[in-house]
Amino acid sequence: MTNRPISTKKIFISLAAFVTSLLLLQLLSLHNGFPLLLADSKSYLMMGLKFLENSHWSNTYIYFVGKNIEVFKTLSWLPMIQNLLILSVIYSISRLAFSHYNNLKYLIVIAGLLFTALPWISNVIMSDISTTICLLIILMVINYKLSRGMYLWLCILFFAVASWHQSHIAILPLFTAFIICIKLSLERKYAKEQFLRIIKSIIPLFVLFIASFWLEKNILNQPQLHTKTKIQKKSKPKDITSGYYFVGVRMWEVGELDNLLATFCPDNAGNYLCDPNNPFQIKIKLNKAVDRKQENIEYQKFSSDNKEFALACLTIPRFYYALFKAALLRSPKLLKHTEIPDYYPLEGITLKRNLKRVSKKEWIKFSNSRQYQGSYIGPFISRYAIVDKIWWLLILPVSVLIFVYLRFKFKGQRILSNDMWITIISLFAAHIINTVICGTFSNAENVRYSARTIWLINLAIILLLLSFNEFRINHQSSQDETNRTDTLSE
């Protein structure tokens, strides 16, 4: 009977801590008076209003936006739900990372992350927050032994958001392979047992990964959506994912498309890319708004042929050299960015009309928002840059110096557990892998792609500092216990 009130109290305190963290992360939306919007947010809004299928943007995220509009008649719930999702993952990893977890540590983690890119990614109507959700889930599944309840929740969440961005097709498998290698190398003594546990946990996750992208291809392609196009009413839409298009674009930009086509075209003369009458600039540089649409019959042919080319490249050895070349030339441009995107005031008749379609008050709320008034550009960006420099020029170096000091002072003692080591290394690797993939295949100058994961490094720093404090407390407790034992023995 005595345990039940204590258990209820702990649940209440944990719930209070989580609600507090939600309010903290929601502060940016509250300060703005509206969810943050980027240029692509307008497209998600437009397609979500009508549940329109699209080959470039994620259909599962379009569905997510559309359902929020349908149920709540406002966009204001979108950032709150996104914040709930990412906080549930951060809360889970906080509980797993510390040997002596308490809610204060979790709140310190969240308080620290408020001064990073996290709020600027989780409070915007964009699918970018899904990348860090998936990366953290994979980290937890591989690195920690999870309860059935936590594993089930993480699997459901992973299935829901894995297909929110096409880049996950490359990022998530690479990150998975990296963590498995690190985990097995640091725990060689139990490598066999760990490998079997990892395989048992990760296979269901990647079955869900495939299922999520299958859903993305099928969730919005009901026949009635194509009645206004040249596509037959009952025909199944072709796979015209723009990701295949980007493979050709990047190969062309680094001067390798000629070499790849020389191997590809002899056996595929009918492919669009092998037509000698069209220069590569015409084949490759297509306008996103005008040409790259599923209603465009020519683009359907173009995209289908790009898919054929991209898949064939996997069997061409030169392609892997070209990938390395593209990564070397493009990804450093994105890796150097640690700032957040500029949140310019968005305008336009179409945006105004679509917001009014959500509800009559929606345009009024947006036009009164801080973003619309220009509060998140100009001097604000300069002030954010100061906080950004404090992280990289002060907090990170100090964290490294503290670690070096502790290693020398407490020689022979383990400062960090293997699990914490793997977590910190993996958080750094997660950002690098995301940035290299996006820098190689997407826009290498768009800071949005780096901002969506840069805060994982901030999270690693916070976990590291809290681990140092935990080590200090544990060491002091051990010393006190030794002194007490010595006193009793006398």
Side-chain angles (χ1 to χ4, degrees), residues 153-412:
W153 161 242
L154 294 179
C155 283
I156 293 171
L157 180 53
F158 187 82
F159 170 72
V161 306
S163 58
W164 277 14
H165 204 276
Q166 291 180 18
S167 64
H168 295 174
I169 294 173
I171 292 170
L172 301 187
L174 283 174
F175 182 63
T176 300
F178 175 84
I179 303 182
I180 291 175
C181 291
I182 293 295
K183 181 76 173 176
L184 297 180
S185 63
L186 289 181
E187 300 185 0
R188 290 187 295 272
K189 186 177 180 181
Y190 306 102
K192 183 178 180 180
E193 293 85 347
Q194 288 288 5
F195 181 75
L196 292 174
R197 182 192 65 80
I198 289 169
I199 292 299
K200 185 179 177 180
S201 300
I202 208 68
I203 287 178
L205 206 63
F206 271 82
V207 169
L208 293 174
F209 179 67
I210 295 169
S212 183
F213 273 94
W214 177 87
L215 179 67
E216 194 272 335
K217 292 296 179 193
N218 291 277
I219 193 170
L220 295 179
N221 64 355
Q222 298 96 343
Q224 63 267 27
L225 291 179
H226 305 285
T227 54
K228 295 183 180 181
T229 73
K230 296 180 182 180
I231 304 172
Q232 291 182 359
K233 189 172 182 179
K234 293 184 180 180
S235 65
K236 183 177 177 59
K238 296 180 180 179
D239 181 6
I240 53 175
T241 302
S242 58
Y244 304 118
Y245 159 82
F246 282 117
V247 173
V249 171
R250 300 316 169 212
M251 295 302 98
W252 173 67
E253 288 178 342
V254 297
E256 288 294 327
L257 186 58
D258 279 338
N259 296 319
L260 294 170
L261 290 179
T263 303
F264 171 75
C265 287
D267 297 323
N268 299 275
N271 189 286
Y272 203 110
L273 288 168
C274 299
D275 182 354
N277 296 318
N278 290 320
F280 295 147
Q281 291 88 333
I282 294 176
K283 299 177 194 176
I284 298 300
K285 290 295 183 181
L286 294 179
N287 183 283
K288 180 170 65 177
V290 177
D291 300 309
R292 284 156 49 191
K293 300 192 298 184
Q294 64 263 34
E295 295 88 353
N296 186 338
I297 301 299
E298 287 299 314
Y299 178 62
Q300 290 180 27
K301 164 66 175 170
F302 180 85
S303 183
S304 176
D305 285 359
N306 265 276
K307 178 181 179 180
E308 183 181 41
F309 170 68
L311 295 178
C313 280
L314 298 176
T315 64
I316 303 175
R318 179 85 184 197
F319 176 64
Y320 298 96
Y321 163 75
L323 277 182
F324 177 76
K325 184 178 178 181
L328 199 63
L329 292 174
R330 295 176 56 82
S331 58
K333 298 177 183 178
L334 191 58
L335 278 167
K336 70 180 181 181
H337 291 295
T338 60
E339 68 270 30
I340 59 173
D342 292 325
Y343 287 89
Y344 291 103
L346 297 180
E347 297 185 16
I349 297 174
T350 302
L351 175 62
K352 184 176 182 178
R353 181 171 62 246
N354 286 335
L355 286 173
K356 286 184 175 181
R357 284 175 179 171
V358 175
S359 79
K360 294 180 179 179
K361 297 180 179 179
E362 211 71 358
W363 169 254
I364 297 173
K365 288 193 292 184
F366 176 68
S367 61
N368 290 327
S369 69
R370 303 270 183 155
Q371 179 184 357
Y372 191 79
Q373 294 164 11
S375 298
Y376 302 139
I377 55 174
F380 172 81
I381 295 298
S382 301
R383 290 194 293 271
Y384 182 87
I386 295 172
V387 177
D388 192 50
K389 286 181 172 62
I390 290 173
W391 274 105
W392 312 120
L393 300 180
L394 179 62
I395 300 176
L396 178 57
V398 166
S399 302
V400 174
L401 289 174
I402 293 173
F403 176 73
V404 172
Y405 167 75
L406 291 175
R407 283 295 298 268
F408 275 100
K409 183 176 180 180
F410 302 100
K411 287 184 178 180

Side-chain angles (χ1 to χ4, degrees), residues 12-24:
F12 177 79
I13 293 173
S14 295
L15 182 61
F18 189 82
V19 171
T20 301
S21 70
L22 177 61
L23 291 174
L24 289 173

Side-chain angles (χ1 to χ4, degrees), residues 41 120 220 294 418 425:
S41 303
W120 300 93
L220 295 179
Q294 64 263 34
N418 278 347
I425 293 170

Side-chain angles (χ1 to χ4, degrees), residues 117-176:
L118 172 59
W120 300 93
I121 298 301
S122 67
N123 285 284
V124 64
I125 298 179
M126 285 291 297
S127 61
D128 290 337
I129 194 61
S130 63
T131 304
T132 44
I133 291 174
C134 292
L135 290 167
L136 289 174
I137 289 174
I138 291 172
L139 172 58
M140 284 187 283
V141 167
I142 294 175
N143 195 35
Y144 296 98
K145 292 181 179 179
L146 308 177
S147 67
R148 288 185 180 179
M150 182 180 288
Y151 180 72
L152 179 60
W153 161 242
L154 294 179
C155 283
I156 293 171
L157 180 53
F158 187 82
F159 170 72
V161 306
S163 58
W164 277 14
H165 204 276
Q166 291 180 18
S167 64
H168 295 174
I169 294 173
I171 292 170
L172 301 187
L174 283 174
F175 182 63
T176 300

